[in-house]
Amino acid sequence: MITTCGSVLRSFARALTGPRAEPVLMFVEGAAGEGKSHLLQELADLPDTPEPARRWWRCGAGGGPSEEDGHRPEATLWLVDDVHRADEDELRRLRGVLEGLGPGSAAAVTYRPEEIPVPGLPLGGTPMTYPGRLTVLTNRLAPWDEERVRRATEEALGGSGCTAEAVTRLHERTGGVPRVVVDLLAMVREQWPSFTGTAAEVDAAGVPPRLAELVLSRTHAVPPEHRPVVWAAAVLDGPAGRDELAAVSGLGAGTGTGALLRALEGAALAELGEGRYGFAVPLAASAVRATLPGPVRQDLHRRAANVLSRRQPVDWAAVAGHHRAAGEGHRWLRAVERAAESAEASGRHEQAITLLERTLALPGLPPQARARLAPLLARNAVTGLRSDQTVEVLAQIVQDAALPPAVRGELRLDLGLMLCNQMGRSHEGWQVLEVAAGELRDVRSVLAARAMAALVTPYWPGVSVDVHRGWLIQAVAAADDSGDAAMRTAVLANHVGLAMSCADPEAWELVEQLPVQSTDPACLRQAARGLCNAADSAVWLGFYERGADLLAAGRDLSARSGAPYTEHSAMGTRLLQQWWTGRWLGLDKRCEDFVAATADMPFIASDAYVVRGLLAVAQGDWGEARSWLSQQGTFGTEKLPVPLGAAAAGAVIRLALARQEVTAAAEHARAAWKVVADKGVWPWAAELAPWAVEALARAGDGAGAHTMVRNFAQGLGRRDAPAARAALVWSRAVLTETEAEASGEGRRSGLLEAAALYGEAAAAYGELPRPYSQALTTEGAARCAIAADTEGASGPGPNAGEASGQVPDAEGASGPAPDAEGASGPAPDAETASGPFPDAEGASVPVPDAEAASGPAPTPEGTSGRAPEPKRASGPVPGSGGSSAPAPDSGRSSGPAPAPEEDAILPVLAELEACAQRFTDLGAVWDAARARALLRTRQPVRRGRPPGRPSHADQLSPREEEVAQLAVSGLTNREIAATLHLSPRTVEQHIAGAMRKTGALSRRDLAHRLDATP
């Protein structure tokens, strides 16, 4: 595991190239454990070198060559270890050997610089007479850096134990000394499999025996009257000045200086920097402290606390630790309080929280101290990032009847905020906040206003927006009465979030009122929160550019004002914005990194979980999608903020529809819709409505689907919510398409009306921009236009779904058609069905009308007779944003059907082809495959193409590659069949062909083979 620098080996190897090579002497300098003996072994085993005699010489072991052996004429490789242990006679003999090195010979001499008798002269004070042709090198070994420690940790513990926290702690405590790193890792490995990679577990492993023996033997070699300076260094446990060591040791300045010199000469201590002294390996201090008698150790800690209190700036956390070790309880608690206040003032909230949690969890803490420290913990936890442990500590403290009412109310307020904002326990947190508002109303009016302001936040499920507005009135009044500027800003920040979420006209004016130029840090933190609230709400509304500006300003102000929780919540908003605006490159990794960074508080990363799940849906990785959308089991999705829960529910419903689990999709849609309806913030229905409407319509609940659309429209009213307005049009398109597919005589006109609505939605999404939603609705418009054109071409009559329940696939096989029941009721108003629908860029693509679709088609130029009848669309794929309709009649009507006007449908097909390419560019594999499958049902015959299909005997055909890509992404044969309008049997054949041609042995192996295919 201990490796040597390659340049050292190469330099030495050059001296062994042959009997005429010039001799080389290399001194190897390194502290104990830095790998000197290991380097000698590597030199002895150098490959591709001549075989001179290898002579080992371990100094201090009573061996070594005689004087006659040292003057051998043949080439020899001398490997001399631990010269610092040699006595004068051994040094004399060694000098003789080195002075006599001849051609083809070499010597490597190792020593510890801290232990050689004459500093800087490893061979003693007698001068050496070096031969004229001798090359002399010095190689100074160095400790490992953190990256090298990481590699060693990974080798010893595997990936799961090699956490960044563990690696950093290992490097800090070992000083990077290789032998100590390896020994400590062996001790840590003994904790396996309970070792989880924390710094505390590394500390608990103890001191490696070899290190303890070395440092204790060196300490013992220091004269007894001088040892207290070594003890002082062990208690201070870090670099310290000469005067500090003297003061802590109790020796005084004069004696302390002499003691320090003796300790340095004996290598018990080392100079760690200019005028700073301590142990070369920090872990060694623990071994020395463990040998000190209790009274001696306490006296040393008491003096250390006094010494550290005079440093500037004061490390109050270290001072507190020394007071506690000295048994000074009162001074310990005061130092803890000062340490927490100092950390809070400098934005080091995590440090303050860790110290306060550890202190408050101790039994027997005086009530007065608990009353002082608990509010500090709560305040830091709300501002910073916190874990379950803080919530548990505060929940226990608020039950203490001895706490003053004002303190208990403040603690309850912060506990409620953590439960709602950081833990996802909104129902419990809401109740705690209501109690806190009542407790504080008469004793701490400013904090009462803060509790009321928290109850204004609309994101939590279960409470109507009218209730939030009621609390807003009370909060504004309480903040104004308090006269506290920071509290007024806090109320304003929450007012901004509520108004922006509801798309109230006053929202943007409220944003301008945030005091972003204030000189009060508390006001700035609240203003930063207000900006981030506004950015998040703006993104949900569909104002992506304005949201980006607010987000940048909010994140900058959060970083400058020390508000890490606000900064992290802004990162979640950024992921959502990138999802909607189509910046998908690397988005999956950014989501996963955010989740990993907030692993101990997964609720903070809920945006990242949902975005990662939405990506997986589009990519066809449905197993992964369900895992991410369910937050990987870290907490229930019912605890998600309402808009995020609606978006996750929309994706889950879409997956259920794609799997033809219509009943489950409808049940999920009703439950998710109720949450949004109960809240009453209707812009938040945007990511749920199209899929929920489709689920109810396909389940036969047309009345319920109509009610959803009607309530959505009424709830939006005239509010400026672009994303929700586009989603409303999309929902109407879905409902119109579903009803058209279930109707008889009005089928074609309904499909054209649906195409117009889909086109209108696509144009709206294009304006935002939202390329993925734009592509989905563009696909819907093309699908309806193709179905309407096919309907007009085939004439009235029973469709294939009614006749046989079979859908013809593109290969000529048949599979079961997706089950669907039509919904009843009038379709909502829309543009006339025969008019154009906008394409993805806002232009108009003509929809084929009834006249163009009837009668014989003109003969194409260069051909004779009737144009071949195109394949018919088999209805939209479930989960594609439209209904799952039965296929049109597949040739069972009497007499030949008239051919459609191909020229009228060509622009639609061109737009569908462009849509498929947009899906591909985004990385939406599933959607691209579905769009291309629809395109193939009506792809016109290419002029001049010879009959028959091209041969793909040795390579994958386009269809095999498409099926294989969906298969390796996780879709089942049935799901692939539904996506591509194929029968499951045909899918099986394509997968078998792909595996045969690539040599794959399984679907997993097929994924590797496809990745390796150029």
Side-chain angles (χ1 to χ4, degrees), residues 99-130:
E99 290 171 352
L101 287 176
S105 295
V109 178
T110 74
Y111 64 93
R112 297 176 185 175
E114 71 272 23
E115 293 188 22
I116 53 177
V118 182
L121 297 175
L123 300 179
T126 304
M128 272 279 294
T129 304
Y130 293 112

Side-chain angles (χ1 to χ4, degrees), residues 817-900:
D819 182 28
E821 293 181 41
S824 59
D829 293 338
E831 296 179 14
T832 57
S834 61
F837 70 88
D839 68 5
E841 307 302 327
S844 293
V845 176
V847 176
D849 58 24
E851 295 177 1
S854 61
T859 302
E861 184 177 348
T863 65
S864 60
R866 187 184 298 273
E869 182 177 347
K871 296 179 182 179
R872 298 185 175 91
S874 58
V877 175
S880 63
S883 67
S884 177
D889 178 40
S890 57
R892 290 181 174 79
S893 59
S894 58

Side-chain angles (χ1 to χ4, degrees), residues 468-555:
H468 296 297
R469 289 191 173 112
W471 279 111
L472 175 62
I473 295 171
Q474 296 185 57
V476 170
D480 289 344
D481 290 344
S482 72
D484 187 284
M487 191 49 57
R488 284 198 296 267
T489 307
V491 173
L492 176 59
N494 286 8
H495 190 181
V496 165
L498 176 62
M500 189 73 78
S501 296
C502 297
D504 289 343
E506 62 174 352
W508 296 104
E509 296 178 5
L510 291 171
V511 173
E512 296 298 324
Q513 296 176 22
L514 290 168
V516 295
Q517 302 299 328
S518 174
T519 57
D520 181 355
C523 281
L524 286 179
R525 282 194 292 270
Q526 297 299 339
R529 192 171 59 82
L531 288 172
C532 291
N533 285 352
D536 187 69
S537 299
V539 166
W540 283 102
L541 290 177
F543 295 110
Y544 301 118
E545 290 187 8
R546 297 174 78 175
D549 292 340
L550 290 169
L551 193 61
R555 292 185 68 187

Side-chain angles (χ1 to χ4, degrees), residues 629-674:
L629 292 171
S630 63
Q631 313 292 299
Q632 295 187 329
T634 53
F635 58 90
T637 52
E638 71 280 357
K639 297 179 180 179
L640 286 173
V642 175
L644 202 59
V652 171
I653 293 166
R654 186 184 182 198
L655 280 178
L657 290 172
R659 287 174 163 161
Q660 302 183 38
E661 300 166 355
V662 178
T663 301
E667 291 175 357
H668 202 107
R670 293 186 185 96
W673 192 262
K674 185 178 185 303

Side-chain angles (χ1 to χ4, degrees), residues 333-573:
L333 292 172
R334 283 296 183 186
V336 167
E337 187 175 3
R338 296 190 70 171
E341 290 171 342
S342 173
E344 180 186 24
S346 60
R348 293 175 285 116
H349 300 285
E350 279 295 309
Q351 182 178 333
I353 292 166
T354 301
L355 176 63
L356 290 167
E357 276 183 351
R358 191 165 55 237
T359 304
L360 287 166
L362 294 172
L365 206 65
Q368 300 88 342
R370 190 180 297 274
R372 290 199 315 272
L373 297 179
L376 263 176
L377 171 62
R379 191 164 64 238
N380 278 278
V382 169
T383 306
L385 301 175
R386 199 51 262 151
S387 64
D388 292 343
Q389 184 178 348
T390 307
V391 171
E392 293 171 5
V393 170
L394 292 180
Q396 292 175 0
I397 292 175
V398 295
Q399 304 302 321
D400 187 352
L403 284 176
V407 173
R408 185 166 51 252
E410 181 179 359
L411 292 179
R412 206 184 300 275
L413 163 62
D414 290 332
L415 175 60
L417 290 172
M418 277 186 286
L419 288 169
C420 289
N421 294 339
Q422 293 164 239
M423 306 304 298
R425 293 154 60 179
S426 58
H427 179 71
E428 182 183 350
W430 179 273
Q431 293 177 329
V432 171
L433 287 171
E434 284 187 316
V435 174
E439 280 182 330
L440 294 167
R441 194 184 303 270
D442 296 328
V443 294
R444 299 281 295 276
S445 59
V446 172
L447 293 182
R450 186 174 169 213
M452 296 172 188
L455 294 167
V456 173
T457 305
Y459 293 100
W460 311 322
V463 182
S464 167
V465 68
D466 293 333
V467 175
H468 296 297
R469 289 191 173 112
W471 279 111
L472 175 62
I473 295 171
Q474 296 185 57
V476 170
D480 289 344
D481 290 344
S482 72
D484 187 284
M487 191 49 57
R488 284 198 296 267
T489 307
V491 173
L492 176 59
N494 286 8
H495 190 181
V496 165
L498 176 62
M500 189 73 78
S501 296
C502 297
D504 289 343
E506 62 174 352
W508 296 104
E509 296 178 5
L510 291 171
V511 173
E512 296 298 324
Q513 296 176 22
L514 290 168
V516 295
Q517 302 299 328
S518 174
T519 57
D520 181 355
C523 281
L524 286 179
R525 282 194 292 270
Q526 297 299 339
R529 192 171 59 82
L531 288 172
C532 291
N533 285 352
D536 187 69
S537 299
V539 166
W540 283 102
L541 290 177
F543 295 110
Y544 301 118
E545 290 187 8
R546 297 174 78 175
D549 292 340
L550 290 169
L551 193 61
R555 292 185 68 187
D556 177 65
L557 195 55
S558 297
R560 287 192 288 113
S561 61
Y565 170 73
T566 302
E567 193 174 357
H568 273 68
S569 65
M571 291 170 65
T573 302

Side-chain angles (χ1 to χ4, degrees), residues 620-889:
D621 195 350
W622 292 354
E624 281 289 298
R626 285 190 179 275
S627 174
W628 285 107
L629 292 171
S630 63
Q631 313 292 299
Q632 295 187 329
T634 53
F635 58 90
T637 52
E638 71 280 357
K639 297 179 180 179
L640 286 173
V642 175
L644 202 59
V652 171
I653 293 166
R654 186 184 182 198
L655 280 178
L657 290 172
R659 287 174 163 161
Q660 302 183 38
E661 300 166 355
V662 178
T663 301
E667 291 175 357
H668 202 107
R670 293 186 185 96
W673 192 262
K674 185 178 185 303
V675 173
V676 177
D678 288 347
K679 176 60 67 175
V681 181
W682 287 101
W684 288 347
E687 310 311 311
L688 170 64
W691 312 113
V693 168
E694 179 180 351
L696 263 63
R698 286 184 55 204
D701 186 5
H706 272 284
T707 299
M708 279 187 179
V709 174
R710 183 170 57 252
N711 290 346
F712 191 13
Q714 291 173 349
L716 280 181
R718 301 178 64 84
R719 298 179 187 277
D720 190 10
R725 294 210 163 278
L728 176 60
V729 179
W730 186 356
S731 302
R732 285 174 172 158
V734 170
L735 187 56
T736 304
E737 180 185 11
T738 307
E739 292 182 336
E741 294 291 355
S743 65
E745 295 183 358
R747 176 184 174 92
R748 184 172 185 278
S749 62
L751 288 169
L752 290 173
E753 182 180 353
L757 287 168
Y758 276 122
E760 182 183 343
Y765 281 122
E767 288 291 325
L768 293 179
R770 276 181 55 165
Y772 184 54
S773 299
Q774 179 187 15
L776 286 172
T777 46
T778 299
E779 178 195 359
R783 180 179 61 243
C784 290
I786 291 171
D789 182 71
T790 304
E791 179 73 14
S794 60
N799 60 45
E802 293 166 346
S804 65
Q806 298 292 311
V807 178
D809 69 24
E811 310 300 326
S814 350
D819 182 28
E821 293 181 41
S824 59
D829 293 338
E831 296 179 14
T832 57
S834 61
F837 70 88
D839 68 5
E841 307 302 327
S844 293
V845 176
V847 176
D849 58 24
E851 295 177 1
S854 61
T859 302
E861 184 177 348
T863 65
S864 60
R866 187 184 298 273
E869 182 177 347
K871 296 179 182 179
R872 298 185 175 91
S874 58
V877 175
S880 63
S883 67
S884 177
D889 178 40

Side-chain angles (χ1 to χ4, degrees), residues 172 285 603 795 910 1014:
E172 289 174 352
F603 185 75

